[in-house]
Amino acid sequence: MMKLIEKNPEVFVAVSDIVEIGETELSFLKAQVLKTPRKRARICAHREGSDALHEMIIVISEASYIHPHRHVGKSESFHIIDGKADVVIFDDTGDIETVVELGPRGSGRHFFYRLSRPLYHTVVLRSEMLVMHEVTNGPFNLDDTDYASFAPKEDDVSLVKEYSSALNKRIEEFFENRGV
């Protein structure tokens, strides 16, 4: 396995000028996800939060809740390697604007997604784990992330469970109303 520096239990940074991700690194991330409270882990191919380009291989467990949020002044893209997920895009009040069904090539779902405006969004897993390549512009500044007030914070476990259940029903209704 390539050399990594652990920033925290969820974030590892590749220190080589040539970053190679293979089955060994994915197995490492999948094992790490099970140890983290938020049930996600990543290897950053960029070295510093101040870098202009951020590329990450991210593994997320279906037990993870991602608080709907938007990024001020940023674009982001996902390329799905393994697993399935829905990216839910919301308006400012929390109504669903669209749902992007993602999966690996050959799954019948889109395998690439890019968001170029600061819209509220979340990722809802449709498989046990999701493995994706995310690209966004840096630098990373936590203040550039605006967490939606219409959704519960990650640490409010009972509200997260209720919200997630209701959101899944709303996603089903979105597809029914769209005729999918």
Side-chain angles (χ1 to χ4, degrees):
M1 187 160 115
M2 74 178 149
K3 184 174 180 184
L4 301 172
I5 294 173
E6 181 177 343
K7 293 290 188 176
N8 64 54
E10 287 185 11
V11 179
F12 298 84
V13 177
V15 295
S16 175
D17 289 334
I18 299 172
V19 176
E20 299 175 272
I21 305 289
E23 293 303 324
T24 301
E25 290 77 17
L26 293 184
S27 294
F28 166 76
L29 285 176
K30 288 177 180 180
Q32 194 65 28
V33 160
L34 302 176
K35 302 175 190 175
T36 65
R38 297 189 323 155
K39 303 300 180 204
R40 48 190 122 143
R42 70 186 63 212
I43 294 174
C44 297
H46 60 283
R47 290 192 185 158
E48 302 292 334
S50 60
D51 287 354
L53 179 66
H54 289 212
E55 289 190 87
M56 300 152 282
I57 300 297
I58 303 173
V59 175
I60 306 171
S61 161
E62 67 184 339
S64 184
Y65 165 72
I66 299 170
H67 188 162
H69 61 284
R70 61 184 171 190
H71 307 286
V72 178
K74 302 229 178 246
S75 296
E76 72 177 19
S77 64
F78 300 163
H79 175 207
I80 304 304
I81 297 168
D82 192 27
K84 295 178 183 175
D86 294 336
V87 176
V88 184
I89 309 294
F90 302 95
D91 67 15
D92 288 347
T93 65
D95 289 334
I96 294 175
E97 285 192 358
T98 194
V99 179
V100 180
E101 296 176 285
L102 296 173
R105 188 165 177 254
S107 69
R109 290 171 161 244
H110 295 98
F111 59 86
F112 178 82
Y113 141 94
R114 183 172 195 261
L115 180 63
S116 300
R117 290 190 307 134
L119 299 172
Y120 285 115
H121 61 284
T122 190
V123 179
V124 178
L125 268 71
R126 299 300 182 207
S127 58
E128 187 177 328
M129 287 198 183
L130 179 70
V131 180
M132 66 181 188
H133 174 214
E134 179 177 343
V135 178
T136 189
N137 51 307
F140 175 75
N141 181 348
L142 190 55
D143 293 337
D144 290 341
T145 303
D146 176 24
Y147 292 96
S149 61
F150 58 77
K153 295 179 180 177
E154 290 180 0
D155 61 356
D156 195 335
V157 177
S158 63
L159 280 180
V160 163
K161 187 174 181 179
E162 289 176 29
Y163 178 80
S164 296
S165 178
L167 180 57
N168 275 308
K169 288 178 185 166
R170 291 172 52 210
I171 293 168
E172 286 178 26
E173 291 170 2
F174 173 84
F175 285 123
E176 287 171 5
N177 292 335
R178 199 174 77 171
V180 174

